[in-house]
Amino acid sequence: MVSFSKLLTVLSIVALSVAQTFQRLGACPTLGCVLPPDQTDFLAGQYFDIRLEVHAPVNGSEANGGVPDPNFTFTIAKANGTPQSAASFFKIAEPKLETWNFTWYEDLFAQDAHSPSVVRVTSKAYRRVALYEPGDYVATLTYYNGTKTVANWFVRPLSTQKKAKNVILFIGDGMTTNMITAARLIAHKSINGKYQTKMQMDQFPVLGHQMAGSSSSGRTHSLDSYITDSANSASALYSGHKSTVNAMGVYADSSADPFDDPKVETIVELLTRIWGSAIGVVSTAFIADATPIALTGHTRLRSQYGVLIDQALRGVSNYTWTKYTGADVFFGAGAEQFIAGSGSFQGKDYYKEFSNAGYSISMNKTSMLAASNTTKALGIFCTSNLPVWLDRNVYKDNLNKTSNDPSGNKKPALDLPGLKEMTLKAIDVLHARGGSKGFFMMSEAASIDKQMHTLDYDRALGDLLELDDTIKATIEKLRAMGELNQTLIIVTADHGHGFDVFGSADTKYLSSKTNDREKRNAIGVYTNSGLSQYTVTNASISYNTGVNFPVNWDPRYTLAQGLGANPDHRENYRVHKSGPRLPATNITGYPVDDYFVNPTDNPDGFTVNGTLPTNEAQGVHSLTDVPVFAMGPCQELFGGVYGNIDIFFNMANCLGLGQPSDTSATNTTSAGTATASPFPFTGAAPTKRVQRGLLVGMLAFMISIGWFAFTL
Amino acid sequence: MVSFSKLLTVLSIVALSVAQTFQRLGACPTLGCVLPPDQTDFLAGQYFDIRLEVHAPVNGSEANGGVPDPNFTFTIAKANGTPQSAASFFKIAEPKLETWNFTWYEDLFAQDAHSPSVVRVTSKAYRRVALYEPGDYVATLTYYNGTKTVANWFVRPLSTQKKAKNVILFIGDGMTTNMITAARLIAHKSINGKYQTKMQMDQFPVLGHQMAGSSSSGRTHSLDSYITDSANSASALYSGHKSTVNAMGVYADSSADPFDDPKVETIVELLTRIWGSAIGVVSTAFIADATPIALTGHTRLRSQYGVLIDQALRGVSNYTWTKYTGADVFFGAGAEQFIAGSGSFQGKDYYKEFSNAGYSISMNKTSMLAASNTTKALGIFCTSNLPVWLDRNVYKDNLNKTSNDPSGNKKPALDLPGLKEMTLKAIDVLHARGGSKGFFMMSEAASIDKQMHTLDYDRALGDLLELDDTIKATIEKLRAMGELNQTLIIVTADHGHGFDVFGSADTKYLSSKTNDREKRNAIGVYTNSGLSQYTVTNASISYNTGVNFPVNWDPRYTLAQGLGANPDHRENYRVHKSGPRLPATNITGYPVDDYFVNPTDNPDGFTVNGTLPTNEAQGVHSLTDVPVFAMGPCQELFGGVYGNIDIFFNMANCLGLGQPSDTSATNTTSAGTATASPFPFTGAAPTKRVQRGLLVGMLAFMISIGWFAFTL
């Protein structure tokens, strides 16, 4: 064991070497880690956990002898106040010391050489605490004989008044301004530059931009990042705390357990606890997917689908936390987590678990529409994700190719609702159940993102138009119900894709040419791009999809469009009539994660070699700020440019969720309701339930991340 | 000659065939054309010309015998009023009939086969008229024995009150939200997701989106388009009238003369005529480039640089129009149009012409800063465009490689101002000269666009940061002057490029690999993208460029970024230290307009084959809506989503330019100031001056457009 003074010398050298992309632990540039980290904002009264870690690298550029300090201390001080030990500050017992090891790679060269850096860790976690007084706090971790890691925390001003009865948050997953522009062009007819019909989003009174990608602090296990995924971006929108790729409702720590990371309370948990409002979750994705499930999920590992569904029904059960007994409405897909079997938690039948908890169960549109409005409602309409709008409304034959019946009988699910039907029915239930307490609903158009990933621009834009159509119908319904003026409606996205339209393609000319360079000359740019042919009436085509959608999805002159980040693929710029696109595949003789042009995709197109790592089969998310449209009470809070966490703080402000004390006695856990209640730590180790899930989760995690492994 | 009834039969067949990208004449889907076309909005009292055309296709799918109707009639009616002949309505003489022919290609197949369609035309033009009473108007062209083309026009409500003393319009040419996000990431340090410094744009109170590309009605000579260029988009911002690729301040007609197209009055002309405010034009481009020169230019052909500089100094001279005697400030580049010679109008010395008109002349920064604030100021600091911020501030050696001295002596121009210095000095002059009448300034960061075209992301983002730094300094200056509260500041763009950031690149790893697929694995996406390394302090690097710019432009881990629309090129994602990038070149043995990877660009990079026609050497503009930031009087008009023409109407509203009668007696042409003054048409034919320019212009036009030619 080396002396601490020697360690300090090493540390000062280390400081220069950490300016790299691969990181030991996000939000922890030094060897002492405080989570929530420096610069964190809190809502007054919002529950959270604290995780402290002291790292001792065994090898690699930061090696300090590999003995982590077991005697670190941690204090908290209100601005200009006297630092107190955290246990004293929160009036809780001092938690036990934990220890573990983990490994990471310092860069791609180290990864190629399979030379991981090993780190030994000492740690403590303080569970379910809260800060009630607005203002600045200083949290200080002291370790290695005087080295300090300081976290400056800020509790935002109180917001005890509920200004909006209801909040509806529409999320177009992966939706950028560029996509809205393209969708407008194909669906809304213009005469000499003046649109004759309007998108609903374009009619919102307030526009903002949220810094979705760039401000993701990326507290990943070992890597920080400025490109976000839907888990950590949803988490920022719902909790006001930035998280990590693959994480939701927690700050990711370096321990192996994906369910012991320090949690933060979400808007759904706060609203349930403080006002008892009704809660609705609607998505065209599987319900356990990041965007819907992050409303209640707390894990570093989004792929823990089964556990997450259980959390959505029963709340967190391995640690004392907000009491939560399930949303009033869940409408979406993902029957895998409900059918008894390998996809469900502990192999149980979750249709039955929900039914036992008092939910009506719908497995098709007809049943959903007939369900009682006064009963909690679960609607799971198929396995995987909901087929997209284009297949449900234009190329309907593709539905017959599926085997996605939500009962698991391998037949196609044909009686499917769309986002609009699910959303409008959800409003009926939420209105009936919320009563004077109002409701909160998140309604997600998930396949804008999913179809952009596979470069299926038409399907992505179709689902974007379905979202807009849904928003329009929602506003009309709320107006008819007399609820519109009391409802804050927000439309936003969680991140972008680098998509844009750059001209038109003469698909007839493109197809007639025999080599790639000649085919590219079918693209018309600037003046040669012409006008949208998707809105030109054609007597032989009628989809009966209404005025908010294209008249013709397969005109001769289409949009020339695409992403800046691609796998190898081929483009012919025509709609994929026979089903969703698969742009790249692996091929015999190469590793399974090495992707090339899919030979059956656009055989008459020209080849575009990719810009992404060859183990990426799809496009990826991008950095861009995404738009926010707002109307209703508090709409003025959503103009201008701000961080994604401000969406949470603005909604919380409008809902009066920033509380000066723990006033929600009827909606808290049995473990107590005191301001900073001590409760018996039955050991920081996760429960058995979580331990079981962990094994599967760890494997998925290691596969998904690829370049670091735990030494357990 | 065929009968008119037979023609009508043909016309009804034709209607189906015009749903194509190549068009005979934009905004003219039938054989009768009214310019301004259907759906046009006007500012009350805004001067404009009217052009009528009747087309007779000789061959092609629309062929009708090829005899255009010489007896067409044209009426105008106020809403629900009685139609009157236009001559009677405007109290002007009936113009003479004009005739010409032109040709166009119906599609790419016709172009490849060199089979143009020939059209014969009869036409009339009504010059310098105006509508003063707000409301709806119906303009009807009747031809071919009763066929009608109806244009519905709308005059927006009056706005006689001047609410802002000054207006400053900042244009980031080609600047999208995606680029702002990327620029923020490289220049502003964040700690755990919270930015420690802020971009000025992010602090504007009001955000909007303008539909720049998609709503371009593209009244091109023979093609309509949804992708815009900087000429017609600038024209929409400055006049409230959408135009055509390559056109500014006019609706493009089908005649050969690029200076007889029907004009619309610009905000600069209106403001000069009505209030006599001071006018400033600042750009990092050559001053004759589209964005600066469209403030006063009226031509279908943006490449008429020499004539356009003369128009900027003396106003329109071939037809009666607004009296205009030059802006108070011109600061920018483009000495080619000022040095006596082939680039200047009539070969004259335009430094001398401006000096004779009372301008101080500056040819370097020192001289500009020393110039009198009470004298009109011309500053031309180099030939071509101003070297970009990155070369002026970081890689300064590149300046020595130039031969761009504004005197034309082929030496490098080294005493160069940047956008900030030009803008701040312009404010001094405009403040002194405008006095109580206030001022209007357009300040353009031109090379955001120009460097995105050549995929030089670093140089583009550098100039975007320079724009933001300029806006910050402008606000500080106005505050110190006591003018801030009286000044409407707008920041926007004219169109986009499909740019985004999708991850990071480990440039060391990329360079170390020997094949393209391995090199691509240097890209880190999502969690592997890490944090910005551009803001990490490095003791060995100091550019002294201040807090609003990157600390390190050449870190090991850079942004992985790019466009969806590219020529063939190679990427290594590193800054181009030795000068601006040239991604694609033509190569020996191939046609000069066939572009391949530039072998000297990024030799250690990987190849990305393009998505653009192979005759495009650069990236192209994209469709996306672009952001609008506003602060000051009338800022509330700029929230939400609207068309690019609304920027004009909102500025005009704030400046009280919508007038109920022609009240500007002191600032109109000698031809008269009556509401709808008849004035002697000395013939519709352009003046000799224009005829001379025409020869050069037509050649450039035919080259630039490539796929249609005039039959004169």
Side-chain angles (χ1 to χ4, degrees):
Chain A
M1 186 172 173
V2 296
S3 72
F4 283 135
S5 62
K6 186 170 175 191
L7 282 178
L8 285 175
T9 310
V10 175
L11 278 173
S12 65
I13 297 167
V14 165
L16 284 177
S17 73
V18 294
Q20 56 197 20
T21 299
F22 286 31
Q23 289 186 37
R24 181 177 13 85
L25 178 64
C28 185
T30 62
L31 296 183
C33 319
V34 178
L35 300 174
D38 190 26
Q39 304 292 319
T40 300
D41 283 18
F42 297 86
L43 185 73
Q46 183 180 23
Y47 292 159
F48 65 101
D49 299 336
I50 298 169
R51 167 68 79 185
L52 310 174
E53 296 187 16
V54 177
H55 289 188
V58 174
N59 60 338
S61 65
E62 296 177 302
N64 74 347
V67 182
D69 186 351
N71 300 313
F72 60 83
T73 60
F74 183 58
T75 61
I76 297 181
K78 180 90 176 70
N80 304 320
T82 308
Q84 302 176 53
S85 77
S88 162
F89 185 90
F90 291 117
K91 301 185 178 61
I92 56 177
E94 186 68 28
K96 289 183 192 163
L97 189 73
E98 302 170 60
T99 60
W100 63 76
N101 301 344
F102 72 96
T103 65
W104 65 296
Y105 289 117
E106 294 203 4
D107 63 12
L108 285 166
F109 293 104
Q111 182 186 328
D112 282 0
H114 303 293
S115 305
S117 299
V118 177
V119 181
R120 295 190 181 133
V121 181
T122 49
S123 175
K124 285 185 180 178
Y126 301 79
R127 301 286 173 183
R128 218 213 69 175
V129 297
L131 298 166
Y132 292 94
E133 197 180 335
D136 292 308
Y137 293 79
V138 179
T140 306
L141 175 67
T142 307
Y143 56 104
Y144 290 153
N145 206 22
T147 304
K148 291 181 190 301
T149 295
V150 175
N152 295 287
W153 292 345
F154 178 66
V155 177
R156 297 214 187 178
L158 295 174
S159 53
T160 55
Q161 192 198 339
K162 196 164 184 283
K163 306 182 196 88
K165 180 181 173 191
N166 314 307
V167 172
I168 300 180
L169 174 62
F170 286 105
I171 297 183
D173 203 296
M175 177 177 74
T176 62
T177 299
N178 305 26
M179 296 174 200
I180 295 169
T181 312
R184 184 195 301 126
L185 181 68
I186 66 171
H188 293 273
K189 191 179 178 69
S190 74
I191 297 177
N192 295 318
K194 191 181 282 185
Y195 277 102
Q196 306 297 298
T197 54
K198 285 193 170 185
M199 289 186 75
Q200 185 61 53
M201 288 184 230
D202 290 346
Q203 299 175 64
F204 272 60
V206 174
L207 175 68
H209 282 172
Q210 50 139 319
M211 299 182 262
S214 64
S215 59
S216 163
S217 72
R219 298 175 182 84
T220 66
H221 187 89
S222 62
L223 303 167
D224 255 301
S225 71
Y226 47 75
I227 305 288
T228 183
D229 80 329
S230 292
N232 70 81
S233 55
S235 215
L237 297 174
Y238 301 157
S239 74
H241 293 268
K242 295 167 190 302
S243 189
T244 291
V245 172
N246 290 321
M248 60 182 78
V250 297
Y251 285 97
D253 63 27
S254 74
S255 80
D257 182 350
F259 289 100
D260 74 345
D261 304 66
K263 297 182 290 299
V264 290
E265 197 174 25
T266 71
I267 193 161
V268 160
E269 291 167 331
L270 281 157
L271 191 53
T272 302
R273 177 162 70 87
I274 294 172
W275 299 122
S277 306
I279 303 292
V281 182
V282 175
S283 176
T284 56
F286 57 105
I287 282 292
D289 199 12
T291 307
I293 211 66
L295 286 165
T296 52
H298 297 280
T299 179
R300 197 188 59 235
L301 206 51
R302 60 184 281 183
S303 56
Q304 285 286 351
Y305 302 133
V307 181
L308 285 164
I309 290 295
D310 190 72
Q311 279 188 352
L313 176 61
R314 287 189 257 263
V316 167
S317 59
N318 59 332
Y319 294 105
T320 299
W321 194 243
T322 309
K323 182 179 171 186
Y324 186 71
T325 55
D328 299 79
V329 177
F330 291 99
F331 288 156
E336 291 88 339
Q337 278 76 55
F338 293 86
I339 301 166
S342 61
S344 71
F345 180 56
Q346 295 181 335
K348 286 194 260 186
D349 178 345
Y350 267 75
Y351 290 122
K352 202 170 161 191
E353 297 291 318
F354 274 72
S355 181
N356 290 346
Y359 283 81
S360 71
I361 311 292
S362 300
M363 294 168 74
N364 55 53
K365 180 171 77 173
T366 306
S367 164
M368 177 193 82
L369 293 175
S372 161
N373 289 339
T374 56
T375 304
K376 281 187 167 189
L378 174 76
I380 301 295
F381 305 106
C382 58
T383 59
S384 184
N385 301 301
L386 206 68
V388 302
W389 181 92
L390 196 68
D391 292 315
R392 282 185 285 107
N393 292 277
V394 176
Y395 302 114
K396 302 176 192 174
D397 288 350
N398 293 329
L399 298 184
N400 294 315
K401 302 172 188 170
T402 59
S403 53
N404 60 345
D405 189 276
S407 70
N409 67 7
K410 305 291 182 192
K411 291 184 179 166
L414 298 174
D415 183 12
L416 294 166
L419 185 65
K420 183 161 77 174
E421 293 79 23
M422 293 193 293
T423 300
L424 297 183
K425 175 65 181 183
I427 291 172
D428 284 333
V429 177
L430 294 169
H431 183 54
R433 291 185 57 82
S436 62
K437 294 176 177 177
F439 64 82
F440 173 92
M441 173 172 64
M442 192 289 298
S443 173
E444 184 205 16
S447 288
I448 299 171
D449 178 69
K450 294 177 191 303
Q451 296 298 317
M452 275 293 164
H453 272 297
T454 50
L455 320 187
D456 200 329
Y457 321 121
D458 296 290
R459 279 180 173 73
L461 298 180
D463 272 37
L464 195 161
L465 290 167
E466 183 187 34
L467 172 62
D468 195 66
D469 194 45
T470 301
I471 299 164
K472 190 172 288 184
T474 296
I475 290 171
E476 284 164 11
K477 184 179 182 78
L478 292 172
R479 187 180 285 119
M481 294 166 80
E483 293 283 316
L484 184 60
N485 293 339
Q486 310 173 76
T487 305
L488 169 64
I489 304 177
I490 303 162
V491 184
T492 190
D494 50 352
H495 60 77
H497 286 257
F499 168 88
D500 213 336
V501 174
F502 54 89
S504 70
D506 181 345
T507 58
K508 182 176 171 184
Y509 186 86
L510 193 156
S511 185
S512 76
K513 294 297 172 185
T514 53
N515 76 59
D516 281 9
R517 288 182 73 83
E518 285 182 344
K519 284 176 185 292
R520 282 162 56 186
N521 293 333
I523 311 297
V525 297
Y526 301 113
T527 186
N528 303 343
S529 60
L531 294 178
S532 173
Q533 302 301 316
Y534 294 79
T535 57
V536 177
T537 307
N538 185 319
S540 67
I541 298 173
S542 177
Y543 310 127
N544 292 317
T545 50
V547 294
N548 298 327
F549 296 93
V551 171
N552 181 3
W553 281 92
D554 193 26
R556 170 175 165 187
Y557 295 90
T558 61
L559 301 188
Q561 53 196 331
L563 311 172
N566 297 296
D568 292 349
H569 66 289
R570 228 165 15 211
E571 289 289 4
N572 71 356
Y573 299 117
R574 286 189 68 183
V575 65
H576 292 72
K577 292 184 187 178
S578 61
R581 185 176 183 188
L582 184 70
T585 56
N586 46 16
I587 53 180
T588 309
Y590 286 84
V592 291
D593 64 346
D594 203 11
Y595 290 95
F596 296 84
V597 173
N598 175 1
T600 65
D601 182 54
N602 299 342
D604 70 338
F606 62 86
T607 297
V608 184
N609 54 352
T611 49
L612 290 175
T614 57
N615 62 1
E616 294 286 341
Q618 304 191 330
V620 297
H621 299 174
S622 71
L623 184 70
T624 183
D625 295 357
V626 293
V628 184
F629 303 93
M631 67 181 286
C634 311
Q635 65 181 35
E636 67 283 359
L637 299 177
F638 294 87
V641 182
Y642 40 82
N644 52 2
I645 65 168
D646 294 301
I647 303 276
F648 166 82
F649 286 107
N650 290 343
M651 291 192 299
N653 179 338
C654 196
L655 288 167
L657 296 178
Q659 297 286 315
S661 62
D662 205 341
T663 55
S664 51
T666 59
N667 285 293
T668 49
T669 64
S670 55
T673 60
T675 297
S677 66
F679 61 89
F681 280 101
T682 56
T687 65
K688 271 197 179 146
R689 183 193 107 188
V690 174
Q691 289 284 27
R692 181 188 153 157
L694 176 63
L695 295 175
V696 179
M698 283 312 306
L699 189 63
F701 191 32
M702 289 161 72
I703 291 169
S704 73
I705 298 298
W707 57 19
F708 66 92
F710 293 98
T711 53
L712 288 165
Chain B
M1 187 172 173
V2 297
S3 72
F4 284 135
S5 62
K6 187 171 173 189
L7 282 178
L8 287 176
T9 311
V10 174
L11 279 175
S12 66
I13 297 167
V14 164
L16 284 177
S17 73
V18 294
Q20 57 195 20
T21 299
F22 288 29
Q23 290 186 36
R24 183 180 6 90
L25 178 64
C28 185
T30 62
L31 296 182
C33 319
V34 178
L35 300 175
D38 190 25
Q39 304 292 320
T40 300
D41 284 17
F42 298 86
L43 186 73
Q46 181 180 24
Y47 293 157
F48 65 100
D49 299 337
I50 299 168
R51 167 68 78 185
L52 310 174
E53 296 187 16
V54 177
H55 290 187
V58 175
N59 59 340
S61 65
E62 297 178 302
N64 74 346
V67 183
D69 186 351
N71 300 313
F72 60 83
T73 59
F74 182 59
T75 61
I76 295 180
K78 180 91 174 71
N80 304 320
T82 308
Q84 302 176 52
S85 77
S88 163
F89 185 90
F90 291 115
K91 300 185 178 62
I92 56 176
E94 187 67 27
K96 290 182 191 165
L97 190 71
E98 302 170 61
T99 61
W100 62 76
N101 302 343
F102 73 95
T103 64
W104 65 295
Y105 290 117
E106 294 202 3
D107 63 13
L108 285 166
F109 293 103
Q111 182 186 327
D112 282 359
H114 302 293
S115 304
S117 299
V118 177
V119 180
R120 293 188 182 135
V121 181
T122 49
S123 175
K124 284 185 179 177
Y126 301 79
R127 300 287 174 182
R128 216 214 70 173
V129 296
L131 299 165
Y132 292 94
E133 198 180 335
D136 292 307
Y137 293 77
V138 179
T140 307
L141 175 67
T142 306
Y143 56 105
Y144 289 153
N145 206 23
T147 304
K148 291 181 191 302
T149 295
V150 174
N152 295 288
W153 292 345
F154 178 66
V155 177
R156 296 213 185 179
L158 295 174
S159 53
T160 56
Q161 192 200 337
K162 195 163 183 284
K163 305 181 198 90
K165 180 182 173 190
N166 314 306
V167 171
I168 300 180
L169 174 63
F170 287 104
I171 297 183
D173 205 297
M175 177 177 72
T176 63
T177 299
N178 306 25
M179 296 175 201
I180 295 169
T181 311
R184 185 194 302 126
L185 181 68
I186 65 170
H188 293 273
K189 190 178 180 68
S190 74
I191 297 178
N192 294 319
K194 191 181 282 184
Y195 278 102
Q196 305 298 299
T197 54
K198 286 192 170 188
M199 288 187 72
Q200 184 62 52
M201 286 186 231
D202 290 346
Q203 299 176 64
F204 272 60
V206 174
L207 174 69
H209 282 171
Q210 49 138 322
M211 299 182 266
S214 65
S215 59
S216 163
S217 72
R219 298 174 182 84
T220 67
H221 187 89
S222 62
L223 302 167
D224 255 301
S225 71
Y226 48 75
I227 306 288
T228 183
D229 81 328
S230 291
N232 70 82
S233 54
S235 216
L237 296 174
Y238 301 157
S239 73
H241 293 269
K242 295 166 191 303
S243 188
T244 290
V245 173
N246 292 320
M248 60 182 78
V250 298
Y251 285 97
D253 63 26
S254 74
S255 80
D257 182 350
F259 290 99
D260 75 344
D261 304 66
K263 296 181 291 299
V264 290
E265 198 173 25
T266 70
I267 192 160
V268 160
E269 292 168 330
L270 281 157
L271 191 54
T272 303
R273 176 162 71 86
I274 294 172
W275 300 123
S277 306
I279 304 292
V281 182
V282 175
S283 176
T284 55
F286 58 103
I287 283 290
D289 199 13
T291 306
I293 212 66
L295 287 164
T296 51
H298 297 279
T299 179
R300 197 187 59 236
L301 206 50
R302 61 184 281 181
S303 58
Q304 284 286 350
Y305 301 134
V307 181
L308 285 165
I309 291 294
D310 190 73
Q311 279 188 353
L313 175 62
R314 286 189 258 264
V316 167
S317 59
N318 59 332
Y319 295 104
T320 300
W321 193 244
T322 309
K323 181 180 172 186
Y324 187 71
T325 56
D328 299 78
V329 177
F330 290 99
F331 289 156
E336 291 88 339
Q337 278 77 56
F338 292 86
I339 301 165
S342 60
S344 71
F345 181 56
Q346 295 181 337
K348 285 195 260 187
D349 178 346
Y350 267 75
Y351 291 122
K352 200 169 162 191
E353 297 291 318
F354 274 73
S355 179
N356 290 346
Y359 283 80
S360 70
I361 311 293
S362 301
M363 294 167 73
N364 55 52
K365 180 171 77 173
T366 307
S367 162
M368 177 192 82
L369 294 175
S372 163
N373 289 339
T374 56
T375 305
K376 281 187 167 188
L378 175 75
I380 301 295
F381 305 105
C382 59
T383 58
S384 185
N385 301 301
L386 207 66
V388 300
W389 181 92
L390 197 67
D391 292 316
R392 282 184 285 108
N393 293 278
V394 176
Y395 301 115
K396 301 176 192 174
D397 288 349
N398 292 329
L399 297 184
N400 293 316
K401 303 172 188 170
T402 59
S403 53
N404 59 347
D405 189 276
S407 70
N409 67 7
K410 304 293 182 189
K411 291 184 179 163
L414 298 176
D415 182 12
L416 293 166
L419 186 64
K420 182 160 78 173
E421 293 79 23
M422 293 193 293
T423 300
L424 297 183
K425 176 66 181 185
I427 290 172
D428 285 331
V429 177
L430 294 169
H431 182 55
R433 292 186 55 81
S436 62
K437 293 175 176 176
F439 64 82
F440 172 93
M441 173 171 63
M442 190 290 296
S443 173
E444 184 205 17
S447 288
I448 300 170
D449 178 69
K450 294 178 193 300
Q451 296 299 318
M452 276 292 165
H453 272 297
T454 50
L455 321 187
D456 201 329
Y457 320 121
D458 296 290
R459 280 181 173 72
L461 297 181
D463 272 38
L464 195 161
L465 290 168
E466 182 185 35
L467 172 62
D468 195 64
D469 193 45
T470 301
I471 299 164
K472 191 171 287 184
T474 296
I475 290 171
E476 284 163 11
K477 184 178 181 79
L478 292 172
R479 186 179 286 120
M481 294 165 80
E483 293 283 317
L484 185 59
N485 292 339
Q486 311 173 75
T487 304
L488 169 64
I489 303 178
I490 304 162
V491 185
T492 190
D494 49 352
H495 60 76
H497 286 257
F499 168 88
D500 213 336
V501 174
F502 53 90
S504 69
D506 180 346
T507 59
K508 183 177 170 185
Y509 187 86
L510 194 156
S511 185
S512 76
K513 295 296 172 186
T514 52
N515 77 56
D516 281 9
R517 288 181 73 84
E518 285 181 343
K519 285 176 185 291
R520 281 162 57 186
N521 292 333
I523 311 295
V525 298
Y526 301 113
T527 186
N528 304 344
S529 60
L531 293 178
S532 172
Q533 301 301 316
Y534 295 79
T535 58
V536 177
T537 307
N538 186 318
S540 67
I541 298 172
S542 176
Y543 310 127
N544 293 317
T545 49
V547 293
N548 298 325
F549 295 93
V551 170
N552 181 3
W553 280 92
D554 193 27
R556 170 174 164 187
Y557 294 91
T558 61
L559 300 188
Q561 53 196 333
L563 311 171
N566 298 296
D568 291 350
H569 66 290
R570 226 163 18 208
E571 289 289 4
N572 72 355
Y573 299 117
R574 287 189 67 184
V575 65
H576 293 73
K577 293 185 186 177
S578 62
R581 183 176 183 189
L582 184 70
T585 56
N586 46 17
I587 53 179
T588 309
Y590 286 84
V592 291
D593 64 346
D594 203 10
Y595 290 95
F596 297 83
V597 172
N598 175 2
T600 67
D601 182 53
N602 299 343
D604 69 339
F606 62 87
T607 298
V608 183
N609 54 351
T611 48
L612 290 174
T614 57
N615 62 2
E616 293 286 341
Q618 303 190 330
V620 297
H621 299 173
S622 71
L623 184 70
T624 184
D625 295 358
V626 292
V628 184
F629 302 93
M631 68 181 286
C634 310
Q635 66 183 32
E636 67 282 0
L637 299 176
F638 294 87
V641 183
Y642 39 82
N644 53 2
I645 64 170
D646 293 300
I647 303 275
F648 165 82
F649 285 108
N650 290 343
M651 290 192 298
N653 179 338
C654 195
L655 288 167
L657 295 178
Q659 298 285 315
S661 63
D662 204 341
T663 54
S664 51
T666 58
N667 284 294
T668 50
T669 63
S670 56
T673 61
T675 295
S677 66
F679 61 90
F681 281 100
T682 56
T687 65
K688 269 195 180 147
R689 180 193 109 187
V690 175
Q691 289 284 27
R692 180 187 152 158
L694 177 61
L695 294 174
V696 179
M698 284 311 307
L699 190 60
F701 192 31
M702 290 162 71
I703 291 169
S704 73
I705 298 300
W707 57 17
F708 65 91
F710 295 98
T711 52
L712 290 162

